[in-house]
Amino acid sequence: MSTFQAPKGTYDLIPPRSAVFLAVRDTIATQVRNAGYGYVETPGFEDVNLFARGVGESTDIVTKEMYTLTTKGGDQLALRPEGTASVLRAALQANLHKQGNLPVKLWYSGSYYRYERAQAGRYRHFSQVGAEAIGAEDPALDAELIILADQAYRALGLRQYRILLNSLGDKECRPVYREALQTFLRGLDLDEETLRRAEINPLRVLDDKRADVQKQLVDAPLLRDYLCDACKAYHEQVRELITAAGVVFEDDPKLVRGLDYYTRTTFEFVHDGLGSQSAVGGGGRYDGLSEMIGGPALPSVGWALGVDRTVLALEAEGVELDLPAATSVFAVALGEEARRILFGKVTELRRAGIAADFSFGGKGLKGSMKDANRSGARLALVAGERDLAEGVVQLKDMESGEQRAVALDGVLDAVRELLG
Ligand code: AMP
């Protein structure tokens, strides 16, 4: 072991588990690419004010969880705690909204950083794949994103998740509700910090996980009773479209999320096998965010799916992904001459697009065959001096154990034939 350890709240992705992470990212990406989303990549850090303004000055993410730093040049930066504000900033900076048809549809995949209390499923460095549809107010877009996330989880083989759906209203109806909720909260027996939160951001009190708080919230006014007609009609259309697509969801009138920018459609994917950190993904509409960060009015909607928790959910359900073996052919060379020739064969196979590996480190037959087994390769290519004298190598099927001699210049064809 080295003197150093991965920092608290972080962990390393190592084989074979790391292959599952890649497969999760890839499966989610396949769904969004297939729906016209283009890949975007933004820096790992941004001007701290982008998040303060975008995510919200009073949110936990901004007040407690951001990794901030001052550069030697005096810039105030933050490691990105989430993706939406950065992606919108990038789209605005590149004028994507002026260049073609709206919505601009983008997807991303990367690392995010929050100084959270570390526990199972909650890390200080984690990984998300996200999708954003910028610049259009259309319930079909909200529905599209929910359907795509559902499709991604289904494609991975997950079943024990639920989709929670709510509408947070807009700048017409939310202020009215906010006040009604505030009046209600002021009458409760809450600790000082929660009362303060009720004054700054009362909706987030609804999200308080403590049982004694939840008990008092049973009769809290609900946003759905305050939605304006436009928000009601919009939400109804989203519900109809996802229902027609066969996506099952639950209305959750108390669903709010930890970021201030959400309006109207809000949703969360929760997995029942994960304990307290049950949200595997979430998102919603953020019609006001562009203006909050200095852009024009650009109603938008998006989600971010947590890769770490999706992997935990797969493990909780016992889902084994059908991962292709990393190596198809493993070459075992006995003696110097065989090393030279088989190393050349491995290069030839790789150039032909066949995944091949080699027994490095000058091991004997036993150790090399162990390597071949461990690699999961379908075929082993074995050669010693006697084989080479005859101008052949042995091609062994690792499943059946069958072995046959193949002429040196016929290796590629034989391998192709056996791998189908
Ligand atoms: P949020 O941006 O908070 O809505 O997060 C979206 C998704 O990212 C969540 O549903 C989680 O799956 C994942 N996520 C957020 N924070 C963490 C964290 N600290 N550790 C692991 N996953 C996280």
Side-chain angles (χ1 to χ4, degrees):
M1 205 163 80
S2 114
T3 323
F4 299 102
Q5 302 255 317
K8 189 172 170 189
T10 73
Y11 63 101
D12 304 306
L13 289 179
I14 27 192
R17 201 167 173 255
S18 53
V20 180
F21 277 72
L22 282 183
V24 166
R25 287 194 186 116
D26 209 49
T27 304
I28 303 171
T30 301
Q31 311 302 326
V32 287
R33 268 198 223 110
N34 198 33
Y37 289 74
Y39 180 66
V40 62
E41 199 164 314
T42 64
F45 49 80
E46 298 269 358
D47 185 323
V48 68
N49 291 312
L50 172 69
F51 303 115
R53 267 195 240 156
V55 178
E57 303 268 12
S58 75
T59 57
D60 282 353
I61 292 180
V62 169
T63 55
K64 298 185 193 155
E65 296 168 3
M66 255 194 323
Y67 282 90
T68 53
L69 60 121
T70 307
T71 65
K72 291 195 176 75
D75 294 330
Q76 302 269 335
L77 302 175
L79 299 188
R80 58 184 181 189
E82 61 102 44
T84 303
S86 309
V87 168
L88 187 55
R89 195 264 313 131
L92 290 171
Q93 186 175 333
N95 277 321
L96 293 186
H97 57 297
K98 293 184 186 161
Q99 282 169 18
N101 290 339
L102 295 175
V104 175
K105 301 209 284 188
L106 299 170
W107 76 274
Y108 58 88
S109 172
S111 293
Y112 296 86
Y113 308 87
R114 294 182 195 171
Y115 189 73
E116 304 215 57
R117 202 160 46 78
Q119 55 182 283
R122 193 201 254 178
Y123 311 107
R124 293 180 172 176
H125 165 263
F126 58 96
S127 173
Q128 291 182 336
V129 178
E132 316 286 350
I134 297 165
E137 194 182 79
D138 182 342
L141 213 45
D142 309 42
E144 166 175 292
L145 279 160
I146 295 171
I147 294 165
L148 288 173
D150 178 68
Q151 218 163 280
Y153 289 131
R154 299 229 144 238
L156 285 166
L158 285 179
R159 293 293 176 266
Q160 292 161 24
Y161 63 89
R162 291 175 293 128
I163 303 175
L164 309 179
L165 183 68
N166 193 19
S167 171
L168 291 180
D170 63 7
K171 55 178 188 284
E172 296 300 317
C173 51
R174 192 153 71 196
V176 184
Y177 169 69
R178 190 177 187 275
E179 233 178 271
L181 180 62
Q182 240 162 11
T183 309
F184 173 84
L185 294 174
R186 283 180 195 133
L188 300 183
D189 178 24
L190 298 170
D191 60 274
E192 226 166 86
E193 195 190 328
T194 313
L195 280 171
R196 210 173 316 127
R197 182 176 293 157
E199 294 307 315
I200 304 167
N201 197 340
L203 268 74
R204 286 192 33 254
V205 178
L206 296 179
D207 207 21
D208 201 308
K209 299 282 184 283
R210 291 170 298 180
D212 59 313
V213 177
Q214 278 303 324
K215 216 165 51 198
Q216 298 189 67
L217 293 174
V218 175
D219 295 323
L222 294 176
L223 222 167
R224 72 167 170 219
D225 300 324
Y226 287 76
L227 290 182
C228 61
D229 287 344
C231 283
K232 241 186 250 170
Y234 193 96
H235 196 56
E236 206 34 57
Q237 284 194 55
V238 175
R239 296 177 77 257
E240 275 168 20
L241 286 164
I242 57 179
T243 305
V247 173
V248 179
F249 63 92
E250 296 168 24
D251 290 305
D252 181 352
K254 285 202 179 134
L255 178 71
V256 294
R257 295 173 34 75
L259 301 86
D260 275 356
Y261 51 60
Y262 287 109
T263 51
R264 290 197 170 169
T265 314
T266 317
F267 51 87
E268 204 151 80
F269 287 72
V270 293
H271 193 276
D272 291 325
L274 292 187
S276 64
Q277 303 304 311
S278 63
V280 287
R285 185 155 272 287
Y286 49 93
D287 292 342
L289 179 58
S290 175
E291 287 154 294
M292 278 152 114
I293 63 169
L298 280 175
S300 307
V301 56
W303 49 237
L305 311 185
V307 178
D308 311 74
R309 285 189 203 163
T310 301
V311 171
L312 292 174
L314 287 168
E315 290 167 356
E317 281 197 43
V319 178
E320 295 260 355
L321 297 183
D322 191 15
L323 301 172
T327 305
S328 300
V329 183
F330 197 95
V332 171
L334 306 165
E336 267 318 302
E337 178 68 357
R339 268 171 65 80
R340 197 177 54 75
I341 289 179
L342 282 195
F343 189 75
K345 285 291 157 201
V346 164
T347 303
E348 183 188 343
L349 289 170
R350 289 176 181 165
R351 285 186 176 147
I354 295 164
D357 204 354
F358 184 76
S359 173
F360 292 100
K363 291 173 197 146
L365 180 63
K366 218 168 131 195
S368 298
M369 286 314 286
K370 240 191 211 163
D371 285 349
N373 270 319
R374 215 175 286 144
S375 77
R378 270 276 315 282
L379 302 172
L381 209 52
V382 189
E385 268 167 45
R386 199 156 11 123
D387 299 302
L388 295 179
E390 290 170 19
V392 299
V393 296
Q394 303 295 326
L395 191 55
K396 181 175 179 182
D397 186 316
M398 299 295 282
E399 274 166 35
S400 66
E402 258 170 61
Q403 185 170 311
R404 62 169 153 135
V406 176
L408 269 177
D409 57 6
V411 168
L412 179 58
D413 286 341
V415 164
R416 274 203 178 119
E417 191 192 313
L418 284 172
L419 291 178

